[in-house]
Amino acid sequence: MINSSATAALGSNLAPTTALTQKAVDGASGDVEISLARTESDLIGAFGLLHDAYVRAGFIAPNADRLRLTPFHLLPSTEVFVARCRDAVISTLTMVADGQYGLPMQSMYADELMTLRESGLRVAEMGSFADRRSSPARFLDVFTQLACLVVQVARARGIDALVAATHPKHSRFYVRYLGFKRIGGLKECPYAAGNPALPLLLDFGGITGTPAHDRLFGRCVADRELVATQWLPETWDRLRGLAAPSPSASDGGTDPTVKMLPSPNAHSVAEATTRRGV
């Protein structure tokens, strides 16, 4: 079960995403603000949105606190991005930078990721996407702005490419609209109730001169928007309580994401660097 005392310390059931009606969310345009998560309220809003999206999709069973985060969210190299409408989080993405614990999709695509590392690419994984909007036009506008911020933050951190594990029906959008390329075969995703996933790669250098590059890099994000959020140690302590095991909708057992960080991963960036002789 999720640690309710930790949730209370963060402001459990603030439920910022319920403060607006669906009509207000879909109708808002100029009122939407895109940024890195800057407050604990931003995190609660993002993790609440993720929980509801995963429950609706049948990936997890609901929990009393209506929050979902994985151990990867606890790493200092992980950054959460949010879109806010009148202080309520209506969309979110997460970027996990590669490091000693690897990446979430490594549980499926370890060989593909090792190949990228050995080629010299520094990668990060984009995932944990959730959105409240029912209007396709409004969704696309906000998602594009979020993706634009993610790639420019990634580049500012020295990252060369993003990877993503997506459902096949969504992968076509990532390829056609954002410039991702498929790098592996179809597999069952252990942290999405065994649903199918495809591995995708967005090499920033490989999309130069394309419409995707213009969408993602055409508007330069201000330097102040790229600055990483410095979280207080108390925030990390409370979040660790929230990342406790929770029931899985698929088998009634433990959410497999909580087992992903037992020790530094053997397929790490350091190992790839050693193999390259750097």
Side-chain angles (χ1 to χ4, degrees):
M1 295 293 292
I2 284 182
N3 187 322
S4 58
S5 62
T7 313
L10 270 173
S12 175
N13 297 322
L14 288 175
T17 57
T18 63
L20 296 174
T21 65
Q22 188 64 49
K23 182 177 179 180
V25 170
D26 287 338
S29 179
D31 292 337
V32 175
E33 178 188 5
I34 311 291
S35 77
L36 283 157
R38 298 300 189 190
T39 67
E40 290 186 356
S41 180
D42 284 344
L43 295 177
I44 288 292
F47 299 147
L49 206 57
L50 276 174
H51 169 273
D52 292 349
Y54 272 61
V55 169
R56 283 195 304 271
F59 295 163
I60 62 170
N63 62 63
D65 295 292
R66 294 180 58 194
L67 299 172
R68 173 179 169 77
L69 66 156
T70 77
F72 284 98
H73 283 107
L74 306 180
L75 299 176
S77 55
T78 294
E79 300 185 78
V80 177
F81 300 76
V82 295
R84 298 181 216 84
C85 178
R86 303 171 200 169
D87 295 327
V89 175
I90 62 170
S91 192
T92 183
L93 269 171
T94 294
M95 182 182 77
V96 181
D98 202 7
Q100 71 178 87
Y101 293 108
L103 296 169
M105 63 186 283
Q106 193 162 297
S107 60
M108 299 175 284
Y109 298 108
D111 291 341
E112 289 84 350
L113 289 173
M114 182 56 67
T115 297
L116 295 177
R117 294 172 184 133
E118 291 177 341
S119 74
L121 285 179
R122 186 181 177 200
V123 299
E125 182 171 345
M126 183 173 81
S128 295
F129 173 68
D131 187 90
R132 254 195 94 186
R133 297 189 154 194
S134 58
S135 164
R138 299 297 192 194
F139 155 78
L140 183 61
D141 177 57
V142 170
F143 180 81
T144 302
Q145 293 183 64
L146 271 174
C148 176
L149 181 58
V150 170
V151 299
Q152 294 195 41
V153 166
R155 188 169 63 177
R157 307 287 186 264
I159 291 166
D160 307 306
L162 292 177
V163 292
T166 68
H167 192 283
K169 71 178 181 181
H170 301 312
S171 66
R172 292 187 290 272
F173 169 77
Y174 279 73
V175 170
R176 294 173 183 173
Y177 191 73
L178 296 179
F180 279 82
K181 293 183 178 180
R182 181 171 165 176
I183 57 170
L186 193 69
K187 294 188 178 181
E188 292 184 355
C189 183
Y191 46 88
N195 275 263
L198 285 172
L200 304 178
L201 169 71
L202 177 65
D203 184 343
F204 302 154
I207 61 170
T208 302
T210 67
H213 186 276
D214 293 340
R215 288 189 192 99
L216 297 173
F217 294 103
R219 181 187 71 86
C220 290
V221 174
D223 289 345
R224 65 179 180 277
E225 298 179 51
L226 303 176
V227 176
T229 303
Q230 300 299 314
W231 298 103
L232 295 173
E234 305 89 85
T235 300
W236 291 112
D237 291 341
R238 291 192 282 265
L239 288 177
R240 287 187 187 95
L242 294 175
S246 59
S248 168
S250 59
D251 58 13
T254 300
D255 184 337
T257 55
V258 304
K259 300 178 180 179
M260 287 184 176
L261 304 177
S263 61
N265 201 297
H267 299 286
S268 65
V269 176
E271 181 187 359
T273 301
T274 301
R275 290 187 184 183
R276 292 199 308 270
V278 176

